[in-house]
Amino acid sequence: MNALQSRLKIFARWEVGLIGVLVLELVIFSSLNSKFLDPNRLLFSMSDFIYLGIIALPLAIVMITGGIDISFASVASLSAIVMGVSFKSGVGIWGALVIGLLAAVAAGLVNGLLIILTRANPMVITLGTQFLFAGLALAASGLGGISSFEGVSGLPNEFTGIAGGRTFGLPNMLLVFAVVTVLFAMLLGRSTFGRQARLIGANPVAARYAGFRSDAVIVGAYVLTSLSAGIVGILLTSYVGSARADIGASLLMPVLTLVVIGGVSMYGGEGSIFGVVVATFVIGFLQQGLRFARLSENEVAVFTGVILVAVASLRWWSANWSERVRNNRVRRENLRRQAGAADGPRTPVAAASEV
C-alpha cells in the first residue's frame, strides 16, 4: 500500500499538472487549426517566447531565497543600450557585448549589496533600482545622441544573425535556453549554493546559525538574475537588429508570472527549475494558440491574464491543501504514537506491584 502511495505521489506534483495543461493546450489548439502542431512551426516559433524563461530561471533562485527582483526588465534595457552606445563609439561589436554584460553584472551587485547592507525589503530596493537603471539607460541613450524610438541600428550581420540563426538545425535562442536550464538545474539541485539558497528561504535564522554565507548566496542570486537579464537584452537586440533603451520594457509581468506558475513559492524555500521550464512552454504555446484561433492581441492579453490568475489561484489553493494534508497526517501519527505508548508493555515494577 505504501509503495502504491509513493508511486501515486508523483501525480500530485505541481509540475505534473503543468505538463497535463501543456498537453491539453496542444490538443485543443491543434483541433482548432491543424497547422498549429507542425513540427517546424512549433520549433522555430519558440524564439518568440523562450527568452522569457532565460530570466525566469535565475529569478526562481532569487525567490527561493525569499527575495524578489523586479528590476530585471530595466537591466535588460540598460545592457542593450550600453552595448549599442559602446558600439557606436567605435568599440568592436564583441567588445561592446562584453561591456553590456558587465553593466548587467554591476546592476546585480548594486541590487544584492543594497539588500544586504540596508536589510530592507528586496521588493522596495529593486523597485527603486528599476527606475534607477531605466533612467541610466535613457541617460546613456541621450549621451550617445541616440533616438529613443530608433535606437542604435546598423549592427553587424554576424551579431544580428545570432538570435534568429540556427545551430545544428535548432534555433539559437532555444539552445541558449537549454544551456542555461542545465546550468541552473545543476546549481540549484547539485551544489552547496543551491542547498543553502533553499534553507535561507525556508528558515533564514536557522541558516545564519548554521554558519551559511547567506549574504554571499543572496548577492550571487541577484547577480545571476541581472546577468541573465543582460543576456536577454542583447539577444533581443540581435533579434530586432536595434539596441534600444526600452527593449526590456515588456519583460516584467510575463517573467514574474512564469516563475509563480512554475511553482516557486513567493515566501521562499520551495520551487524547481523544471517547473519554470514547463511553465515557459505552457504560457508561450497558450499565447500562440490564441493567436492561431484568430484572437486579436488585446483579446489574447485579456484571455491570458484570466487564465494566469486562475492558475496562480489554483497554485495557492493546492499549496494550502497540501500543507493541511501534511499537518493532519502528522497529527494522526502523533495521536497513534501516544496511544501506543499508553497501551505498551507493563514495566517489571508494575507487574510486581500487581502480585
Side-chain angles (χ1 to χ4, degrees):
M1 187 65 181
N2 290 333
L4 179 62
Q5 286 180 340
S6 61
R7 288 179 182 176
L8 292 177
K9 270 185 180 178
I10 191 171
F11 294 102
R13 291 178 60 88
W14 179 253
E15 293 86 350
V16 176
L18 284 178
I19 293 174
V21 172
L22 180 60
V23 172
L24 187 63
E25 283 181 6
L26 296 177
V27 170
I28 292 175
F29 292 128
S30 61
S31 65
L32 295 175
N33 190 325
S34 58
K35 293 182 181 177
F36 184 78
L37 273 186
D38 180 76
N40 284 329
R41 195 210 65 78
L42 278 179
L43 187 62
F44 291 102
S45 66
M46 291 179 190
S47 298
D48 294 336
F49 63 82
I50 206 73
Y51 59 87
L52 298 173
I54 296 175
I55 305 180
L57 294 171
L59 181 61
I61 296 179
V62 167
M63 291 175 66
I64 286 172
T65 65
I68 191 168
D69 184 354
I70 56 177
S71 68
F72 57 81
S74 298
V75 174
S77 300
L78 179 64
S79 179
I81 197 64
V82 166
M83 186 201 70
V85 171
S86 301
F87 173 73
K88 191 180 178 184
S89 303
V91 180
I93 187 62
W94 305 118
L97 186 150
V98 172
I99 293 173
L101 291 179
L102 288 176
V105 170
L109 277 173
V110 169
N111 278 336
L113 291 176
L114 282 176
I115 290 169
I116 295 303
L117 293 176
T118 64
R119 300 295 174 188
N121 189 310
M123 178 175 287
V124 176
I125 294 293
T126 54
L127 179 63
T129 55
Q130 177 192 22
F131 290 103
L132 170 65
F133 299 146
L136 289 175
L138 289 174
S141 178
L143 289 174
I146 300 165
S147 165
S148 58
F149 295 102
E150 297 177 358
V152 179
S153 55
L155 301 171
N157 292 334
E158 61 266 28
F159 174 75
T160 55
I162 293 176
R166 306 177 186 182
T167 302
F168 306 119
L170 297 173
N172 288 340
M173 283 266 208
L174 181 61
L175 291 176
V176 172
F177 178 70
V179 170
V180 171
T181 297
V182 171
L183 290 177
F184 284 118
M186 294 178 66
L187 185 66
L188 186 61
R190 301 293 180 88
S191 72
T192 303
F193 177 91
R195 288 190 290 274
Q196 293 189 357
R198 284 192 187 279
L199 185 55
I200 290 169
N203 194 331
V205 176
R208 189 164 60 248
Y209 281 116
F212 288 178
R213 299 171 62 188
S214 302
D215 292 351
V217 172
I218 291 172
V219 172
Y222 282 91
V223 169
L224 288 173
T225 302
S226 289
L227 176 60
S228 297
I231 292 173
V232 168
I234 289 172
L235 284 174
L236 289 176
T237 300
S238 169
Y239 200 55
V240 301
S242 174
R244 296 175 48 176
D246 61 349
I247 203 163
S250 62
L251 295 174
L252 179 59
M253 292 313 297
V255 173
L256 282 175
T257 306
L258 282 186
V259 179
V260 174
I261 289 182
V264 178
S265 170
M266 297 195 71
Y267 303 104
E270 293 183 15
S272 71
I273 294 298
F274 181 65
V276 178
V277 170
V278 179
T280 302
F281 290 103
V282 167
I283 301 303
F285 286 132
L286 171 67
Q287 292 187 327
Q288 287 193 351
L290 293 174
R291 293 189 183 100
F292 259 71
R294 299 182 183 281
L295 269 65
S296 67
E297 285 300 317
N298 290 336
E299 291 170 335
V300 169
V302 171
F303 199 85
T304 304
V306 171
I307 291 179
L308 295 185
V309 169
V311 174
S313 301
L314 180 62
R315 169 61 184 160
W316 177 85
W317 178 83
S318 66
N320 280 331
W321 180 77
S322 299
E323 184 178 359
R324 188 176 302 174
V325 170
R326 283 197 300 270
N327 290 338
N328 288 337
R329 187 187 304 132
V330 171
R331 192 178 298 115
R332 284 196 302 272
E333 289 175 356
N334 287 338
L335 290 174
R336 195 180 302 120
R337 197 175 297 118
Q338 290 173 3
D343 298 336
R346 292 175 298 174
T347 62
V349 175
S353 64
E354 290 178 3
V355 173

